[in-house]
Amino acid sequence: MSAPLRTPICDLLGIEYPIVSAGMGGVALAELAAAVSEAGGLGTLGLAAFGREAIISEIAAARARTQKPLAANILIPFLRPGIVEAIAATGISALTFFWGDARDHRAEIAIAHRAGIKVIWQCGSVDEARWARAAGVDIVMAQGFEAGGHVRGTTTSLVLIPELRDAIGDLPLLAAGGFADGRGLAAALALGADGAVFGTRFLAAQEAAAHPAYKQRLLAANATDTLHTTLYDLGWPDAPHRVLRTDLVERWEAAGRPASGSRPLEGLVSARAQRADLEIPLVNYTVMPPTDYMEGDCGGLPHYAGHSCSLLHEIIPAGDIVRRIATEAQTVIEKRLLKLISH
Ligand SMILES: Cc1cc2nc3c(=O)[nH]c(=O)nc-3n(C[C@H](O)[C@H](O)[C@H](O)COP(=O)(O)O)c2cc1C
């Protein structure tokens, strides 16, 4: 009988399994993050562009559901003064940053470190990972091109993970992009990562705040239904992202892919979001994905999804996803990989 799967990242973060749910802006909220953490992974709150009050109340809501380690994620382009200080005061265990040069954010990293928070930096290239290391982050997160949501680089996970491992020495490394099950986790570990981050997989969890119709589309889709584009640019221009090809995307393609300003149904407010201190009219082509706290028609919003949507077959509780990934990775290593060298 083998010991349960553990990597150095488990001790560093105080978690049972090297399984992390991605910080997904507006859809990875308290219920999802807490469920992942409670099951032994690291649940991440996708706080993206939330204001101070919303951040504090979301973290408190997650904390009310679990006493286990939790992470928060913020996007550098939306970082406002005082936000990192506010998060640092909440007792969160880890903070994931995305979309920036870590060397320009040593002050924020220091604030997190003073509060005992581990800093994770999501990177899409070797250069970014080197900069993150130089800035003193605790964990580098490799994001492969097949990832859902905003995609920083152009190299897929199979090459990016070992490339980053070679570049950062023995600094802890997480792998994101294309992972949906225990086979993926075992592969990430084989490539040099200390754990894997799952975004699209947890988007289809019962607790994710994604709109029910969006979850159904994810189940029906496969990798070839995704598109890497800069189409959904209102609120965050020139930032490539991977989305599902919806009716609106098809209309835009049929119209010859017109530039921003002259796209089909542009300027139309079709949906409205309401949550905490948030009350936003949602114009088509905005960055906000369809959520279960929206009213109206979400067809004009980005249905972010990674290639890993090919591997989703059901919507189940996040805790079951964590346990299944852990069990399957263990089985893959024990029954498949170890067998190859023990005959
Ligand atoms: C719906 C959605 C929203 C996302 N939002 C964010 C975000 O707010 N901040 C961030 O750092 N990454 C975000 N990402 C990217 C994830 O951090 C991660 O790189 C990605 O989910 C990994 O690929 P996968 O979807 O194949 O698991 C998002 C991804 C998805 C699918």
Side-chain angles (χ1 to χ4, degrees):
M1 181 73 184
S2 59
L5 175 64
R6 278 188 81 78
T7 73
I9 234 155
C10 298
D11 296 323
L12 187 66
L13 296 169
I15 55 178
E16 217 175 312
Y17 307 118
I19 296 169
V20 178
S21 61
M24 297 180 283
V27 286
L29 299 177
E31 233 190 304
L32 177 63
V36 170
S37 291
E38 198 50 32
L42 181 70
T44 308
L45 293 154
L47 303 173
F50 275 24
R52 198 172 173 280
E53 295 311 313
I55 284 176
I56 290 170
S57 82
E58 206 55 46
I59 294 176
R63 187 47 81 217
R65 291 179 151 89
T66 183
Q67 287 309 304
K68 297 196 175 173
L70 282 164
N73 167 257
I74 46 178
L75 294 166
I76 293 291
F78 299 98
L79 186 56
R80 280 169 276 169
I83 291 294
V84 174
E85 287 87 339
I87 294 174
T90 62
I92 210 112
S93 299
L95 186 50
T96 307
F97 293 93
F98 190 33
W99 220 270
D101 180 343
R103 295 171 304 177
D104 299 335
H105 299 280
R106 291 178 200 265
E108 288 88 351
I109 294 171
I111 293 166
H113 280 163
R114 276 199 296 277
I117 295 172
K118 302 287 181 234
V119 174
I120 306 173
W121 208 279
Q122 182 162 220
C123 305
S125 67
V126 166
D127 280 347
E128 258 198 311
R130 287 207 181 103
W131 301 336
R133 184 183 192 190
V137 309
D138 302 285
I139 300 171
V140 165
M141 186 194 295
Q143 187 202 38
F145 184 64
E146 57 276 76
H150 283 79
V151 181
R152 188 71 170 150
T154 51
T155 307
T156 54
S157 289
L158 194 62
V159 170
L160 188 67
I161 299 164
E163 204 185 9
L164 260 54
R165 168 51 76 211
D166 291 345
I168 64 171
D170 56 9
L171 194 67
L173 178 66
L174 282 168
F179 303 106
D181 55 28
R183 296 171 297 182
L185 173 56
L189 299 178
L191 289 167
D194 299 297
V197 181
F198 301 79
T200 302
R201 172 65 274 204
F202 283 112
L203 200 52
Q206 259 168 25
E207 295 88 343
H211 193 284
Y214 177 17
K215 290 185 184 177
Q216 288 306 322
R217 272 180 176 268
L218 275 173
L219 292 191
N222 62 43
T224 56
D225 300 317
T226 72
L227 176 80
H228 181 259
T229 180
T230 52
L231 184 63
Y232 294 92
D233 58 358
L234 297 184
W236 193 3
D238 302 319
H241 41 269
R242 186 174 300 285
V243 286
L244 293 180
R245 187 173 265 109
T246 56
D247 291 348
L248 186 67
V249 173
E250 281 177 356
R251 275 184 79 157
W252 170 71
E253 286 180 326
R257 300 178 166 234
S260 196
S262 45
R263 298 172 293 193
L265 306 177
E266 187 147 14
L268 227 70
V269 174
S270 320
R272 212 164 267 279
Q274 271 172 313
R275 193 180 166 99
D277 64 354
L278 229 65
E279 151 77 72
I280 324 172
L282 296 161
V283 187
N284 289 341
Y285 302 105
T286 191
V287 289
M288 183 87 177
T291 65
D292 62 5
Y293 49 94
M294 269 177 199
E295 282 171 9
D297 175 6
C298 296
L301 306 179
H303 289 54
Y304 299 118
H307 280 178
S308 57
C309 65
S310 289
L311 303 171
L312 307 184
H313 308 297
E314 54 188 344
I315 294 165
I316 56 174
D320 290 350
I321 296 176
V322 172
R323 287 182 285 271
R324 278 192 200 183
I325 294 171
T327 307
E328 191 183 22
Q330 178 106 18
T331 307
V332 166
I333 294 167
E334 227 171 31
K335 303 263 158 56
R336 181 167 166 72
L337 303 182
L338 274 182
K339 231 171 79 181
L340 301 177
I341 53 162
S342 53
H343 43 81

